Amino acid sequence: MAEPTIPAPKTHFASDNTSGVCPEAWEMMARANSGYAASYGNDAWTERAANLLRDLFESPEAEIFFVFNGTAANSLALASCCQSYHSVICHEHAHIVDDECGAPEFFSNGTKLLGASGEHGKIAPAAIAELASKRTDIHYPKPRVVSLTQSTELGTVYQRHELEAIHETTQRFGLVTQMDGARFSNAVASLGIAPKAATWQAGIDVLCFGGTKLGMANCEAVIFFNRELAREFDYRCKQAGQLASKMRLLAAGWVGLLENGAWLKHAQHANQCARHLASRFEKEAGLVAAHPVEANAAFIHLPEPILRGLRERGWVIYNFIGGNVARFMCSWQTTDADIDALVADVIDLRGNIS
Ligand SMILES: *Cc1c(COP(=O)(O)O)cnc(C)c1O
């Protein structure tokens, strides 16, 4: 008897890091891969990438470091802002809480994360104020940082007025603001404003700017607009095993993405794909989104039989936020054909069920 055939996993929409390296980054890595160059970031590619980032943010004084992944970027940036007796106010379902295996606490030697609630993955200014003022005695870890994820874990985007309201609150309580920008490009593409308006002009002291999900191999930039917070950060990176010896190959990816605006083009494309996917789910299958689709994620209410059916057909789908809500992520690599294939399976399953 023939073995039942197991379909190859279809990871297209499982995450935005199931995609490969985009052509612009790949090509520049190939160019950087010629001859010899100084190691540990003392090379011309690294200088060029850092300068392109300073230009992009219109922040000539920014201190810039490159690390391998987002967990390190967030953890080391937060550790640099905090003493061990401090605390970080963040959304209760932030990546730093749910998905970094305690690395922020580990690298800061015990800084505590204080989870704030908030609709659609966003922290409300009132929740920050409440946590910042709840306790002022010596027995409670002192609030020091607010960490915002932009775009959020739920595919929403802090709007400009929301950033301003949060800034007003952080100023009132003397807090530093760190931004987890694993999907910062998608947020900028969604907001349609200058990167500076979404960061230092809105009170962001340090940004962890994601390169990997955007289309690079494995690199994130830690950008300190507040230079004081960057003190001895190079030592932190090295101690944490985050100083690349062949740094030019990481830096080249940034050069490829930044030099001709590919970063924004890819982010716009991914956002557009997520909107398109959500609208087809709604129009063609009557399935609605659980959160506003503002970046490159679509969270869709998916009846259990459809979710199961899709998995049986090989689709890898996360529903980590529970209920019957499934997450679909888009990237630079998402095509109309990918979306067609997914929607066709959903319509087919819907027909079988009803
Ligand atoms: C993916 C992601 C990161 C980075 O995760 P790594 O796997 O460590 O690179 C950080 N924050 C958010 C919100 C993410 O989605």
Side-chain angles (χ1 to χ4, degrees):
M1 220 172 85
E3 294 281 327
T5 50
I6 299 165
K10 294 180 223 171
T11 50
H12 309 49
F13 298 98
S15 179
D16 34 1
N17 57 19
T18 58
S19 60
V21 177
C22 70
E24 293 87 351
W26 193 253
E27 214 168 275
M28 211 56 89
M29 286 170 80
R31 270 207 245 166
N33 191 36
S34 87
Y36 298 93
S39 48
Y40 298 110
N42 297 310
D43 64 288
W45 287 96
T46 303
E47 195 185 349
R48 198 160 141 204
N51 284 334
L52 282 165
L53 284 166
R54 290 188 188 98
D55 290 347
L56 179 69
F57 286 91
E58 300 175 61
S59 179
E61 300 297 318
E63 290 267 17
I64 296 174
F65 303 85
F66 299 107
V67 297
F68 293 112
N69 56 46
T71 300
N74 284 331
S75 302
L76 297 175
L78 291 170
S80 202
C81 297
C82 292
Q83 297 291 332
S84 56
Y85 50 82
H86 281 143
S87 55
V88 173
I89 295 170
C90 58
H91 194 273
E92 60 187 337
H93 296 305
H95 197 272
I96 56 172
V97 176
D98 280 353
D99 292 295
E100 299 190 356
C101 195
E105 295 93 327
F106 175 77
F107 282 108
S108 57
N109 295 308
T111 297
K112 192 177 171 73
L113 303 182
L114 305 177
S117 56
E119 284 246 286
H120 302 309
K122 297 188 210 175
I123 320 174
I128 295 171
E130 194 193 322
L131 283 168
S133 59
K134 188 168 87 166
R135 291 270 296 269
T136 52
D137 60 277
I138 204 168
H139 304 279
Y140 195 70
K142 188 171 195 264
R144 164 73 175 158
V145 179
V146 169
S147 176
L148 303 175
T149 309
Q150 178 76 317
S151 54
T152 72
E153 287 79 359
L154 298 183
T156 55
V157 173
Y158 286 96
Q159 302 299 306
R160 212 166 174 177
H161 69 274
E162 293 173 314
L163 292 173
E164 277 162 16
I166 289 171
H167 187 201
E168 191 273 322
T169 309
T170 56
Q171 279 182 313
R172 182 146 48 96
F173 291 99
L175 301 167
V176 162
T177 310
Q178 179 257 358
M179 183 168 270
D180 173 351
R183 301 188 179 96
F184 179 73
S185 302
N186 302 97
V188 171
S190 176
L191 290 167
I193 61 177
K196 68 175 171 185
T199 54
W200 59 269
Q201 286 185 335
I204 306 304
D205 294 288
V206 50
L207 168 70
C208 299
F209 187 178
T212 311
K213 284 169 183 158
L214 176 61
M216 293 179 51
N218 39 30
C219 188
E220 317 276 299
V222 182
I223 304 175
F224 288 92
F225 302 110
N226 180 342
R227 290 167 56 90
E228 274 168 45
L229 298 172
R231 209 166 73 87
E232 298 180 349
F233 195 75
D234 44 352
Y235 287 88
R236 278 187 198 283
C237 290
K238 177 66 191 181
Q239 187 185 47
Q242 290 288 326
L243 177 62
S245 63
K246 293 189 184 178
M247 184 78 89
R248 62 174 151 154
L249 295 169
L250 275 66
W254 283 105
V255 173
L257 275 161
L258 294 174
E259 222 166 42
N260 294 309
W263 70 279
L264 191 58
K265 183 188 77 177
H266 289 319
Q268 284 165 339
H269 170 80
N271 290 2
Q272 161 66 27
C273 286
R275 277 197 306 273
H276 187 51
L277 184 65
S279 111
R280 289 195 59 186
F281 267 121
E282 183 164 358
K283 285 197 193 115
E284 297 174 40
L287 300 169
V288 297
H291 303 288
V293 179
E294 294 171 346
N296 62 328
F299 285 83
I300 308 291
H301 286 289
L302 213 57
E304 162 60 26
I306 295 186
L307 179 59
R308 197 168 357 104
L310 285 174
R311 285 182 173 151
E312 280 163 11
R313 293 177 185 210
W315 293 101
V316 179
I317 298 167
Y318 291 115
N319 61 332
F320 58 86
I321 64 169
N324 285 325
V325 177
R327 185 186 80 162
F328 298 90
M329 299 299 312
C330 298
S331 73
W332 70 270
Q333 204 168 344
T334 309
T335 63
D336 282 341
D338 297 337
I339 296 175
D340 288 345
L342 176 68
V343 172
D345 273 347
V346 168
I347 292 171
D348 192 37
L349 287 161
R350 174 127 222 157
N352 292 345
I353 290 156
S354 55

